[in-house]
Amino acid sequence: MNAYVGTPTSRVDGRAKVTGAAKYAGEFTAEGLVHGFVVEATIPRGRIVRLDTGEALKVAGVLDVLTHTNRPSLADKDEAWKDEVAPEGSPFRPLYDDLIRFNGQPIALVVAEEWETAKFAATLVRIDYEQDGFATDLEAERGSAREMDKPHEPRGDAKAALAAAPLRHEADYLIPTEHHNPMELYATTTVWESDGKLTVYDKTQGVQNVQKFLCGVFDKKPEEIRVLSPYVGGAFGSGLRPQYQVVLATLAALALKRSVRVVLTRQQMYGLGYRPMTIEHVALGARPDGTLDAVSHEAIAVTSRYEDFSRNDTGWAEQLYKSPNSHFSHKLVDLDVSTPCDMRAPGAATGVLALECAMDELAVALKLDPIELRLKCYSDRDQSEDLPYTSKQLRECYARGAEAFGWARRAPAPRSMRDGKELIGWGMATGVWEALQMPVAVRIVLTANGHAEVSCAASDIGTGTYTIVAQVAADALGLPIENISVRLADSTLPQAPVEGGSWMAASSAHAVLGAAEDIRQELARLAKAMPGSPLANLDAADVTLVDGMIASDGKDGAAVSIADVMRHSKLERIEKEKLNQFTEDKSHARNTHSAVFAEVKVDEELGVIRVTRVVSAVAAGRILNTKTGRSQIMGSVVWGIGMALHEETMMDHRFGRIMNANIAEYHIPVNADIHDIDVIFVDEPDSRINRMGIKGLGEIGIVGVPAAIANAVYHATGKRIRRFPITLDKLLD
Amino acid sequence: MNNFQYSRASDVADAIRLLAADPGAKLIAGGTNLIDLMKENVERPSRLIDISRLPLRDIEETADGGLRIGALVPNSDLAYHPLIEQRYPLLASAILAGASAQLRNMASVGGNLMQRTRCAYFYDTTTPCNKRSPGTGCSARDGLNRNHAILGTSTSCIATNPSDMSVALAALGALVHIAGRTGERTVALTDFHRLPDDKPHLDTNLGSGEIITAIELPPQGFARNYSYLKIRDRLSYAFALVSVAAAIELEGNAISEARLALGGVAHKPWRSPEAEAALRGQAATPDHFGRAADLLLQGATARSHNGFKIELARRAVVRALIQATNATPQSQAHKKIA
Ligand SMILES: Cc1cc2nc3c(=O)[nH]c(=O)nc-3n(C[C@H](O)[C@H](O)[C@H](O)COP(=O)(O)OP(=O)(O)OC[C@H]3O[C@@H](n4cnc5c(N)ncnc54)[C@H](O)[C@@H]3O)c2cc1C
Ligand code: SF4
């Protein structure tokens, strides 16, 4: 029964969000709540030699200034600081010692009765540093890059094949550092409960991750700390790891034995994680017919000096394009900056941008249509593991996308299409992402009044988890969606990993199915046992929950109402909790795909670029909710436009400081930059990947978008910009 | 943010008295620039003198047929005022090219004239900046200076004035009415803002105890042939890389009067009598527009990242003049440069 799954069901939390009833981490309050304000380091590397808090402490209303010298104890082993998704290395510990590792590092927390008081007093904290030599410039330090893990083994001899290839394209593509800038500021409210336990409201993508982390850092027992994050105003990967404000709020609560709230400013959020600046070097060797002989993709990316953050930037050609020879390398440059972190489609957003621009350049060199080139190289297997896919409707994405876009009418030569003063460019690119799934547990409590509460520790970071969980539960339990209430993001609820990697839809949906299945079994057993039951002769396997009834699957129409069964069994509630584990299947590769088509119009004289049309055709298995799913893809396209044209974190390397740490100067697209966005979901039945055929949608939508735009800009202007973002100055002669 | 005192001025004289009594005091109108700067600790006033309720909200006709606009008229009200829409659409257009609807609702005319540069170093108190801390140096000269000035710069400062409204006012030949302890005075808008020379901490020629009470528009409004063309890094809600206020009077195809002002290129709205003179009496053709643009940009110099502005400004001037000639001014609502 699919009354809800696959339909454009509106967000079940939509009303709460637009009316303000939905509470975010920085909005929870408690009796005697006090406020912390962070003092940040203003140098990128060195040591604090003097930290004078005297003046700050004199301000009326200031309760304390916590620093590395007077704070309560913090764990001293890296292991305690390693959260579920920490990379290799030694995680940053706020207020731990006198070392400065990056500009914007928190070095003190002023706690006061009022937030304004704390903010003012923070300006009175005097710090003297001993500054050390530092480096923050990836391009300047490129020579010191060191090789990281090789995500994909080389095949054949790419070097020789490249040298021998009749046609070669080789170039560097440079993608700047980008920050997530979620609308909601990072915030934590740590409530000091009367029994000394802590309830922590945190902006995070994983409450259990934060809970375990805090227990480690503060040496607490699991029952002493509870973490909640019922609503998250966007995070995009920045909330996968616990951020420093949760440590500071909790530290202050322990120091003062009071409830403490810490809200970061927008500027301070530029001291958290980010998408690392990356130099992508792509070399393609081809034959005149458009088949590939060699692919080489090397990435050089920023990381901090204390952790090695890296993602799969380079391996995507293994999935997309057939080539007998391939070579991949990922290098890191250690700089005096904070550790980068995941940002929507980490690795792919950047790596595929370079690969897809390179493919476009190759198509130009070969005088082939960009889609034709991609079809010639189309790979039905994941070449790195030599595996078939559980499903791969990428060909269909190209076809449907091209059709909707009108690609056939494209004049191939650059600068050959125009509309008045504007040059028109049509570009396309491929997107690819992983279809991951993780163990998740769900508890369902069905009450005799026909309501069900579904609960799980998973977060909904705005992606729509509340809604799809409700949809799947409503269908599986045969109840109207209004009768389902969903509780998420409380560390005391059944197990869930961080919400990321696009794995939560598949993972939570199957966990709901599992728990609902147990409920059904239980109801079937009870129904059979009822005297005179019409289902007496039926097996549990032969009944379905539908419209509040336990109904026979057969044609006899036999059914009893769930309410009757429960009343008769004298049950007020049936509660089932189930952990869903996916069986590991290494025989197939699992990916989502897309084909993105973009139209740009470029003012020939002024260089002003407009993205007037985007068509994104996505193959991502079963789409649970076409409305929230479409929103995910649209939002991703908007972000992809920003990645192509606007976003860039600008650092002055003389100071090692970010100079546009605000959303007036860090540009993202505004409404005026957005025109038509057409989302097509290509049918992709997949009975192998999991029972429901779900692959996830959170990230695929951005991959390929910036490349399609860059390729369109080339088609419009004849100018190939390989240093992103493509701002108008780069197009002026 | 520092601790400050707060007073509400009861009238203009009271505001002037309060200013004189406390050299660290600052006037606050809409607060959209001052509060931001206070949050960054760039401005640290000892006292805020709230003038937002003073009766300086009128728009009235002057004896010679111009308009007098009170210093506290909100930017939105000004842009949508029928007399401005009909007679000075260039001004309406420039205002609507700036900021966002919410900001324009709060922002006042006086505050807009007084808004400070968006130079990133000016905003970051940890970096040297002669404008913020005289004598410390200019970080932008050899730093991130893509948004910086190409005209009228000094070795001390290469910042730009970010106001859109002021660019139109400069082109229209507006006057600024000022009140101070010694009485009232009037200066031309083009003399109101300063070039940085060796005192970049002074943005304007407003004296320390003075308050802007009004601006005045002369009768000539260029309501037919005008355009405000703003080029920026996204289509809305960004400061100008370059903006052009173009206004001409045409007799047939001949230009009888011309005004050109550039924004985003200097420490003040940039006008050039030579450029405008070169247009007068000429046919309205792209060639003549190009010549005027060259004159307007005479002496332009670039630092490491802002060289593109010279060519961009030249092309923008030509485009704006074409739009003005055709009576097809740049729309601030369309998602497109015409
Ligand atoms: C995100 C953002 C984007 C923006 N984008 C643009 C843009 O694209 N284009 C643009 O032009 N502007 C832009 N602005 C700036 C905006 O126009 C100004 O902030 C606004 O005009 C200031 O007016 P206000 O009344 O709020 O000034 P306030 O903040 O109240 O005051 C600013 C200064 O003016 C002084 N002052 C105010 N009134 C008087 C007076 N009567 N006499 C003497 N001094 C006075 C104050 O003492 C203070 O120093 C933007 C601002 C923001 C925050
Ligand atoms: S350009 Fe002017 S405002 Fe900017 S750093 Fe230099 S002195 Fe300061």
Side-chain angles (χ1 to χ4, degrees):
Chain A
M1 249 299 292
N2 277 344
Y4 298 101
V5 165
T7 67
T9 301
S10 290
R11 283 174 188 269
V12 295
D13 51 342
R15 192 184 168 80
K17 282 187 169 170
V18 299
T19 55
K23 270 196 179 178
Y24 294 81
E27 297 179 324
F28 286 89
T29 192
E31 205 181 307
L33 181 75
V34 295
H35 302 263
F37 193 86
V38 177
V39 180
E40 303 149 80
T42 55
I43 62 162
R45 185 178 191 177
R47 193 173 282 282
I48 301 168
V49 291
R50 198 176 66 99
L51 211 163
D52 180 358
T53 59
E55 286 303 307
L57 283 166
K58 279 188 210 150
V59 175
V62 170
L63 301 166
D64 204 350
V65 181
L66 294 171
T67 70
H68 65 282
T69 61
N70 69 351
R71 58 163 171 82
S73 99
L74 288 167
D76 59 2
K77 297 270 185 313
D78 279 344
E79 282 324 299
W81 292 89
K82 283 204 174 182
D83 68 278
E84 195 173 306
V85 285
E88 277 302 297
S90 172
F92 171 64
R93 308 170 182 183
L95 306 199
Y96 192 78
D97 56 23
D98 59 353
L99 282 184
I100 304 298
R101 293 165 177 82
F102 58 91
N103 227 318
Q105 173 180 326
I107 50 179
L109 185 78
V110 180
V111 189
E113 300 281 356
E114 302 284 341
W115 186 80
E116 288 78 7
T117 310
K119 188 171 164 98
F120 163 57
T123 66
L124 303 177
V125 175
R126 296 279 161 264
I127 306 126
D128 293 337
Y129 302 100
E130 194 177 278
Q131 173 146 351
D132 291 337
F134 63 89
T136 56
D137 186 352
L138 175 70
E139 287 181 282
E141 305 299 320
R142 188 176 178 164
S144 69
R146 63 193 166 81
E147 190 75 34
M148 275 298 289
D149 51 334
K150 283 211 180 60
H152 296 88
E153 294 301 318
R155 288 180 297 103
D157 183 346
K159 205 167 170 186
L162 270 173
L167 246 143
R168 247 191 324 272
H169 165 71
E170 187 165 355
D172 273 355
Y173 300 85
L174 202 137
I175 297 131
T177 291
E178 296 164 355
H179 277 80
H180 308 71
N181 284 305
M183 200 183 313
E184 181 197 11
L185 299 172
Y186 268 86
T188 303
T189 306
T190 297
V191 177
W192 177 267
E193 306 286 1
S194 50
D195 53 4
K197 291 183 180 167
L198 300 175
T199 305
V200 180
Y201 297 95
D202 186 36
K203 176 184 171 75
T204 176
Q205 294 177 239
V207 285
Q208 291 180 333
N209 186 31
V210 171
Q211 196 262 355
K212 276 182 226 130
F213 170 81
L214 290 177
C215 287
V217 165
F218 293 105
D219 191 23
K220 294 283 177 195
K221 297 193 194 71
E223 60 275 18
E224 292 175 309
I225 297 185
R226 175 180 176 196
V227 179
L228 299 98
S229 186
Y231 293 98
V232 178
F236 313 110
S238 62
L240 288 169
R241 300 185 67 187
Q243 297 296 349
Y244 70 70
Q245 90 289 338
V246 74
V247 176
L248 296 187
T250 306
L251 189 72
L254 291 170
L256 278 74
K257 299 198 170 15
R258 287 182 74 164
S259 300
V260 179
R261 179 191 295 161
V262 176
V263 181
L264 299 189
T265 63
R266 179 64 61 186
Q267 286 80 347
Q268 287 168 343
M269 281 168 55
Y270 285 75
L272 306 177
Y274 51 91
R275 197 194 290 286
M277 178 170 180
T278 309
I279 303 167
E280 309 266 354
H281 183 84
V282 182
L284 304 171
R287 297 181 196 176
D289 67 354
T291 53
L292 288 172
D293 272 336
V295 172
S296 165
H297 192 157
E298 301 175 347
I300 305 177
V302 173
T303 195
S304 66
R305 290 203 194 275
Y306 50 91
E307 283 174 318
D308 289 347
F309 177 87
S310 76
R311 287 291 177 262
N312 171 25
D313 276 64
T314 59
W316 301 102
E318 292 290 79
Q319 249 98 49
L320 293 176
Y321 304 123
K322 232 174 355 198
S323 166
N325 303 289
S326 65
H327 157 80
F328 306 98
S329 125
H330 196 109
K331 290 182 179 162
L332 291 181
V333 176
D334 301 341
L335 296 174
D336 297 292
V337 293
S338 63
T339 307
C341 72
D342 289 309
M343 187 196 276
R344 207 172 207 166
T350 42
V352 175
L353 168 48
L355 176 65
E356 288 299 290
C357 287
M359 285 295 281
D360 197 66
E361 299 204 49
L362 184 65
V364 171
L366 288 163
K367 298 195 171 53
L368 275 181
D369 179 87
I371 301 181
E372 198 185 332
L373 173 63
R374 285 164 175 85
L375 290 174
K376 287 211 159 144
C377 308
Y378 196 91
S379 181
D380 284 307
R381 296 177 83 79
D382 174 346
Q383 297 165 95
S384 65
E385 309 281 335
D386 194 24
L387 294 176
Y389 291 91
T390 59
S391 58
K392 180 171 179 175
Q393 291 297 322
L394 178 56
R395 273 200 185 88
E396 192 65 13
C397 292
Y398 291 136
R400 295 274 310 277
E403 166 80 37
F405 188 81
W407 185 258
R409 295 193 303 278
R410 178 179 185 262
R415 304 180 62 83
S416 59
M417 294 165 68
R418 71 160 62 228
D419 172 10
K421 297 184 188 72
E422 290 181 314
L423 297 164
I424 297 177
W426 287 5
M428 60 81 57
T430 312
V432 53
W433 184 247
E434 298 162 318
L436 302 169
Q437 41 197 25
M438 304 283 273
V440 166
V442 153
R443 178 165 61 233
I444 299 181
V445 178
L446 178 70
T447 39
N449 62 2
H451 278 76
E453 183 186 79
V454 186
S455 50
C456 171
S459 297
D460 182 341
I461 58 173
T463 44
T465 309
Y466 277 108
T467 308
I468 58 167
V469 163
Q471 288 175 275
V472 175
D475 281 356
L477 297 170
L479 295 175
I481 200 164
E482 298 74 29
N483 288 15
I484 308 286
S485 52
V486 181
R487 280 180 63 207
L488 296 178
D490 174 340
S491 61
T492 61
L493 295 177
Q495 156 193 343
V498 292
E499 170 149 31
S502 300
W503 59 56
M504 197 51 90
S507 308
S508 60
H510 287 89
V512 171
L513 274 193
E517 173 62 20
D518 285 1
I519 299 254
R520 191 183 62 87
Q521 299 262 1
E522 176 83 9
L523 285 171
R525 194 180 58 75
L526 296 169
K528 263 172 84 102
M530 262 167 63
S533 168
L535 305 175
N537 298 323
L538 285 173
D539 222 39
D542 301 328
V543 298
T544 304
L545 305 182
V546 57
D547 292 338
M549 310 287 281
I550 307 160
S552 156
D553 290 343
K555 292 205 174 74
D556 55 359
V560 284
S561 91
I562 294 176
D564 282 352
V565 172
M566 289 184 72
R567 195 174 332 110
H568 196 268
S569 315
K570 300 202 165 44
L571 280 177
E572 250 319 296
R573 48 191 272 141
I574 300 176
E575 176 176 330
K576 297 287 175 191
E577 179 173 333
K578 186 130 187 192
L579 171 68
N580 179 65
Q581 309 251 30
F582 293 92
T583 42
E584 206 167 326
D585 172 10
K586 291 204 163 143
S587 68
H588 284 74
R590 302 150 201 209
N591 289 89
T592 53
H593 297 89
S594 68
V596 187
F597 296 80
E599 175 183 86
V600 300
K601 294 192 175 172
V602 182
D603 189 294
E604 191 177 8
E605 289 159 17
L606 303 172
V608 175
I609 306 166
R610 303 189 299 136
V611 181
T612 44
R613 262 182 334 125
V614 175
V615 174
S616 177
V618 179
R622 182 199 292 260
I623 306 306
L624 288 167
N625 184 324
T626 48
K627 189 173 185 179
T628 55
R630 195 179 126 78
S631 291
Q632 278 294 304
I633 303 300
M634 280 213 296
S636 293
V637 168
V638 171
W639 198 341
I641 292 172
M643 194 169 175
L645 304 183
H646 304 121
E647 293 200 40
E648 179 175 17
T649 302
M650 293 194 221
M651 195 175 256
D652 186 324
H653 299 299
R654 297 169 304 171
F655 306 116
R657 273 179 85 75
I658 294 171
M659 296 310 300
N660 61 341
N662 61 73
I663 44 176
E665 304 296 336
Y666 180 103
H667 288 160
I668 57 170
V670 294
N671 182 48
D673 298 301
I674 304 303
H675 297 256
D676 290 348
I677 299 174
D678 186 7
V679 179
I680 297 168
F681 288 120
V682 169
D683 255 359
E684 192 176 59
D686 190 333
S687 53
R688 188 177 285 275
I689 191 157
N690 52 45
R691 196 168 141 198
M692 293 182 75
I694 304 169
K695 286 183 165 182
L697 269 185
E699 290 161 287
I700 181 65
I702 191 173
V703 188
V705 177
I709 293 166
N711 296 339
V713 168
Y714 168 77
H715 182 237
T717 64
K719 292 200 179 87
R720 183 63 70 173
I721 310 301
R722 303 193 185 95
R723 182 179 272 267
F724 291 86
I726 308 176
T727 47
L728 61 86
D729 47 314
K730 295 173 186 169
L731 295 180
L732 296 176
D733 283 317
Chain B
M1 189 176 269
N2 66 325
N3 245 333
F4 57 87
Q5 303 294 313
Y6 173 87
S7 321
R8 185 178 294 163
S10 54
D11 55 25
V12 171
D14 188 36
I16 293 168
R17 244 187 333 270
L18 286 163
L19 272 176
D22 187 346
K26 282 231 145 220
L27 303 176
I28 181 161
T32 59
N33 190 220
L34 183 56
I35 302 281
D36 263 10
L37 290 164
M38 287 171 67
K39 286 203 251 177
E40 302 294 332
N41 284 311
V42 175
E43 300 274 18
R44 302 175 59 83
S46 51
R47 174 181 302 274
L48 287 185
I49 303 168
D50 186 352
I51 57 169
S52 63
R53 296 172 205 214
L54 296 190
L56 302 172
R57 288 182 174 250
D58 291 335
I59 298 179
E60 46 199 18
E61 302 203 50
T62 57
D64 69 352
L67 281 186
R68 185 183 162 107
I69 299 157
L72 288 166
V73 173
N75 287 185
S76 308
D77 291 13
L78 185 56
Y80 293 118
H81 195 282
L83 285 176
I84 300 295
E85 284 181 330
Q86 286 153 25
R87 287 167 49 184
Y88 305 94
L90 174 66
L91 176 59
S93 183
I95 292 170
L96 295 178
S100 65
Q102 295 90 332
L103 284 158
R104 294 191 297 264
N105 288 342
M106 287 301 292
S108 66
V109 164
N112 194 320
L113 287 182
M114 293 294 289
Q115 65 173 297
R116 310 211 64 187
T117 185
R118 308 306 286 203
C119 171
Y121 301 99
F122 175 70
Y123 265 81
D124 183 344
T125 55
T126 72
T127 59
C129 166
N130 287 326
K131 186 181 276 300
R132 179 173 26 77
S133 313
T136 53
C138 171
S139 297
R141 271 184 79 74
D142 300 311
L144 299 172
N145 50 37
R146 183 171 174 273
N147 296 338
H148 286 69
I150 50 172
L151 286 161
T153 59
S154 72
T155 49
S156 302
C157 180
I158 58 170
T160 59
N161 180 305
S163 168
D164 287 297
M165 184 187 80
S166 297
V167 183
L169 289 177
L172 291 168
L175 301 173
V176 183
H177 289 271
I178 294 168
R181 264 189 299 171
T182 53
E184 301 197 359
R185 66 186 182 108
T186 303
V187 296
L189 187 115
T190 44
D191 297 327
F192 181 77
H193 297 101
R194 298 178 68 256
L195 286 182
D197 54 49
D198 57 352
K199 290 192 240 0
H201 61 288
L202 301 175
D203 295 348
T204 70
N205 291 314
L206 191 76
S208 59
E210 291 185 316
I211 170 172
I212 302 165
T213 53
I215 52 175
E216 186 180 327
L217 296 172
Q220 193 174 18
F222 301 92
R224 210 185 105 77
N225 296 104
Y226 73 94
S227 186
Y228 188 75
L229 179 61
K230 179 176 180 180
I231 310 296
R232 46 193 146 175
D233 279 324
R234 57 185 174 194
L235 264 287
S236 178
Y237 205 24
F239 290 94
L241 293 167
V242 162
S243 70
V244 186
I248 53 179
E249 291 281 352
L250 286 175
E251 278 163 23
N253 192 36
I255 300 168
S256 57
E257 175 60 4
R259 303 288 177 79
L260 276 179
L262 287 177
V265 295
H267 203 253
K268 59 186 286 189
W270 194 258
R271 270 183 74 177
S272 146
E274 295 79 20
E276 292 168 15
L279 286 171
R280 268 180 224 118
Q282 300 292 331
T285 64
D287 278 355
H288 291 138
F289 299 159
R291 191 124 33 86
D294 288 338
L295 286 167
L296 185 59
L297 287 158
Q298 221 167 36
T301 55
R303 301 300 300 176
S304 41
H305 303 124
N306 63 352
F308 75 96
K309 280 192 177 186
I310 301 176
E311 183 59 24
L312 182 64
R314 189 183 185 281
R315 296 181 189 185
V317 166
V318 174
R319 178 70 63 84
L321 282 167
I322 292 172
Q323 292 175 333
T325 304
N326 296 339
T328 52
Q330 176 60 42
S331 157
Q332 306 303 346
H334 289 173
K335 297 174 159 187
K336 179 178 181 181
I337 303 285

Coordinates of all heavy atoms in Angstrom, one line a residue, chain B residues 117-123 127-133 136-141 148-149 155-160 196 200 267, ligand 2:
Chain B
T117 N 32.8 53.1 4.1 CA 33.3 52.2 3.0 C 33.1 50.7 3.4 O 33.0 50.4 4.6 CB 34.8 52.4 2.8 OG1 35.2 51.5 1.7 CG2 35.7 52.0 4.0
R118 N 33.0 49.8 2.5 CA 32.9 48.4 2.8 C 34.3 47.7 2.7 O 34.3 46.5 2.7 CB 31.9 47.7 1.8 CG 30.6 48.4 1.7 CD 29.8 48.6 2.9 NE 29.2 47.4 3.5 CZ 28.2 47.4 4.4 NH1 27.6 48.6 4.7 NH2 27.8 46.3 4.9
C119 N 35.3 48.4 2.6 CA 36.7 47.8 2.6 C 36.8 46.8 3.7 O 36.5 47.1 4.9 CB 37.7 48.9 2.7 SG 39.4 48.2 3.0
A120 N 37.2 45.6 3.4 CA 37.2 44.5 4.4 C 38.2 44.8 5.5 O 37.9 44.4 6.6 CB 37.5 43.2 3.7
Y121 N 39.2 45.5 5.2 CA 40.2 45.8 6.3 C 39.7 46.8 7.2 O 40.0 46.8 8.4 CB 41.5 46.2 5.6 CG 42.1 45.2 4.7 CD1 41.9 45.3 3.3 CD2 42.8 44.1 5.2 CE1 42.4 44.3 2.5 CE2 43.2 43.1 4.3 CZ 43.1 43.2 3.0 OH 43.5 42.3 2.1
F122 N 38.9 47.8 6.7 CA 38.3 48.8 7.5 C 37.4 48.1 8.6 O 37.3 48.5 9.7 CB 37.5 49.7 6.7 CG 36.7 50.7 7.4 CD1 37.3 51.8 8.1 CD2 35.3 50.7 7.5 CE1 36.6 52.7 8.8 CE2 34.6 51.6 8.2 CZ 35.2 52.6 8.9
Y123 N 36.8 47.0 8.2 CA 35.8 46.2 9.0 C 36.5 45.3 10.0 O 36.0 44.8 11.0 CB 34.9 45.4 8.2 CG 33.5 46.1 7.9 CD1 33.4 47.1 6.9 CD2 32.4 45.8 8.7 CE1 32.2 47.7 6.7 CE2 31.2 46.4 8.5 CZ 31.1 47.4 7.5 OH 29.9 48.0 7.3
T127 N 43.5 44.3 11.5 CA 44.4 44.6 10.4 C 44.7 46.1 10.4 O 43.8 46.9 10.8 CB 43.8 44.2 9.1 OG1 42.5 44.9 8.9 CG2 43.5 42.7 9.0
P128 N 45.8 46.5 9.8 CA 46.1 47.9 9.7 C 45.1 48.6 8.7 O 44.7 48.0 7.7 CB 47.5 48.0 9.1 CG 48.1 46.6 9.4 CD 46.9 45.7 9.4
C129 N 44.7 49.8 9.0 CA 43.8 50.6 8.1 C 43.9 52.0 8.6 O 43.5 52.4 9.7 CB 42.4 50.0 8.3 SG 41.2 51.1 7.5
N130 N 44.3 52.9 7.6 CA 44.5 54.3 7.9 C 43.1 55.0 8.2 O 43.0 56.0 8.9 CB 45.2 55.0 6.8 CG 46.6 54.7 6.7 OD1 47.3 54.5 7.7 ND2 47.2 54.6 5.5
K131 N 42.1 54.4 7.6 CA 40.8 55.1 7.7 C 40.3 54.8 9.1 O 39.7 55.7 9.8 CB 39.8 54.5 6.7 CG 38.5 55.3 6.7 CD 37.5 54.7 5.7 CE 37.7 55.3 4.3 NZ 37.5 56.7 4.2
R132 N 40.5 53.6 9.6 CA 40.0 53.2 10.9 C 40.9 53.7 12.0 O 40.5 54.3 13.0 CB 39.7 51.7 11.0 CG 39.3 51.2 12.3 CD 38.9 49.7 12.3 NE 39.5 48.9 11.3 CZ 40.8 48.5 11.4 NH1 41.5 48.8 12.5 NH2 41.3 47.7 10.5
S133 N 42.2 53.5 11.8 CA 43.2 53.9 12.8 C 44.3 54.6 12.1 O 45.3 54.0 11.6 CB 43.8 52.6 13.5 OG 42.9 51.7 13.9
T136 N 48.2 53.7 10.7 CA 48.6 52.3 10.8 C 49.0 51.7 9.5 O 49.6 50.6 9.4 CB 47.5 51.4 11.4 OG1 46.3 51.6 10.7 CG2 47.3 51.8 12.9
G137 N 48.6 52.3 8.4 CA 48.9 51.8 7.1 C 47.6 51.3 6.3 O 46.5 51.3 6.9
C138 N 47.8 51.1 5.1 CA 46.6 50.6 4.2 C 46.8 49.2 3.8 O 47.7 48.9 3.0 CB 46.5 51.5 3.0 SG 45.2 50.9 1.9
S139 N 46.0 48.3 4.4 CA 46.2 46.8 4.1 C 45.7 46.5 2.6 O 46.2 45.5 2.1 CB 45.4 46.0 5.0 OG 45.9 46.1 6.3
A140 N 44.9 47.3 2.1 CA 44.3 47.0 0.8 C 45.2 47.3 -0.3 O 45.1 46.6 -1.4 CB 43.0 47.8 0.6
R141 N 46.1 48.2 -0.2 CA 47.0 48.6 -1.3 C 47.6 47.3 -1.9 O 47.7 47.2 -3.1 CB 48.1 49.5 -0.8 CG 47.7 51.0 -0.9 CD 48.9 51.8 -0.5 NE 49.9 52.0 -1.6 CZ 49.7 52.7 -2.7 NH1 48.6 53.4 -2.8 NH2 50.6 52.8 -3.6
H148 N 38.3 47.9 -4.9 CA 38.8 49.2 -4.5 C 38.8 50.2 -5.6 O 38.5 49.9 -6.8 CB 40.1 49.0 -3.7 CG 39.9 48.5 -2.4 ND1 39.5 47.2 -2.1 CD2 40.0 49.1 -1.1 CE1 39.4 47.0 -0.8 NE2 39.7 48.1 -0.2
A149 N 39.2 51.4 -5.2 CA 39.1 52.6 -6.1 C 40.2 52.6 -7.2 O 41.3 52.1 -7.0 CB 39.2 53.8 -5.3
T155 N 48.1 57.3 -1.5 CA 48.9 56.3 -0.9 C 48.4 55.8 0.5 O 48.6 54.7 0.9 CB 50.4 56.7 -0.7 OG1 50.4 57.9 -0.1 CG2 51.1 56.8 -2.1
S156 N 47.6 56.7 1.1 CA 47.0 56.3 2.4 C 45.8 55.4 2.3 O 45.5 54.7 3.2 CB 46.5 57.6 3.1 OG 47.6 58.5 3.3
C157 N 45.0 55.5 1.2 CA 43.7 54.8 1.2 C 43.2 54.7 -0.2 O 43.3 55.6 -1.0 CB 42.7 55.6 2.0 SG 41.1 54.8 2.1
I158 N 42.7 53.5 -0.6 CA 42.1 53.3 -1.9 C 40.7 52.8 -1.8 O 40.2 52.1 -2.6 CB 43.0 52.3 -2.7 CG1 43.1 50.9 -2.0 CG2 44.4 52.8 -3.0 CD1 43.7 49.8 -2.8
A159 N 40.0 53.2 -0.7 CA 38.7 52.8 -0.4 C 37.7 53.5 -1.4 O 37.9 54.5 -1.9 CB 38.3 53.0 1.0
T160 N 36.5 52.8 -1.6 CA 35.4 53.5 -2.3 C 34.3 53.8 -1.4 O 34.1 53.3 -0.3 CB 34.8 52.5 -3.4 OG1 34.3 51.3 -2.7 CG2 35.9 52.1 -4.4
P196 N 40.5 60.7 -0.3 CA 41.2 60.3 0.9 C 42.4 61.1 1.3 O 42.7 61.2 2.4 CB 41.5 58.8 0.6 CG 41.6 58.7 -0.9 CD 40.5 59.7 -1.4
P200 N 42.4 59.9 5.3 CA 41.3 59.0 4.9 C 40.3 58.7 6.0 O 39.2 58.2 5.8 CB 42.0 57.7 4.5 CG 43.3 57.7 5.2 CD 43.7 59.1 5.3
H267 N 36.6 57.3 -3.8 CA 36.2 57.7 -2.4 C 35.0 58.6 -2.3 O 34.4 58.8 -1.3 CB 37.4 58.4 -1.8 CG 37.5 58.4 -0.3 ND1 37.2 59.4 0.5 CD2 37.8 57.4 0.6 CE1 37.4 59.1 1.8 NE2 37.8 57.9 1.9
Ligands
SF4_2 S1 41.7 51.2 1.5 FE1 41.3 52.7 3.1 S2 39.8 51.7 4.3 FE2 40.8 50.1 3.1 S3 42.6 49.4 4.4 FE3 43.3 51.0 3.1 S4 43.1 52.8 4.4 FE4 41.7 51.3 5.3

